[in-house]
Amino acid sequence: MDWQGWSDQIYVTLESSVGNNTADQIKWALDTYSDLDTDTNSFATVATKLTNYPSNFALFDVTNVLSFCEEVAWQARCGLVINSGVVKIVYLSEQ
């Protein structure tokens, strides 16, 4: 639909305060939407390794936080380990 130069399409440019580092995004999601603790050291270590591999995406549906984190970690070549309520992240592509 076009009305006086306007269309029914919406375009958005947004920069999150979380940033585009995958480890930081997963940690933020877990800290915000779960009752699990995160291992700060493993997340900091993996964040450094993922610096050259930013991730940018948008969520359009509500989803389970663990399923979301698992999917994002897998796409970034990482694994999540939950032991006694503490989540650690491992970078799986390291030589």
Side-chain angles (χ1 to χ4, degrees):
M1 173 180 219
D2 188 16
W3 183 77
Q4 295 182 344
W6 294 89
S7 74
D8 59 357
Q9 299 292 322
I10 297 175
Y11 299 94
V12 176
T13 300
L14 175 74
E15 187 172 324
S16 170
S17 61
V18 178
N20 60 4
N21 187 292
T22 306
D24 294 338
Q25 294 166 347
I26 293 171
K27 185 175 183 336
W28 177 85
L30 290 169
D31 289 344
T32 305
Y33 296 108
S34 81
D35 58 354
L36 297 169
D37 292 322
T38 51
D39 178 64
T40 306
N41 292 332
S42 69
F43 277 89
T45 300
V46 172
T48 302
K49 295 175 183 179
L50 294 178
T51 300
N52 294 328
Y53 308 105
S55 61
N56 299 291
F57 55 88
L59 296 177
F60 297 105
D61 297 311
V62 175
T63 185
N64 177 281
V65 69
L66 289 178
S67 298
F68 162 74
C69 291
E70 179 184 37
E71 176 69 21
V72 172
W74 180 81
Q75 290 182 29
R77 301 173 310 274
C78 295
L80 298 177
V81 178
I82 303 173
N83 188 7
S84 299
V86 178
V87 182
K88 293 183 180 183
I89 189 168
V90 179
Y91 185 53
L92 301 174
S93 289
E94 195 166 38
Q95 293 183 2

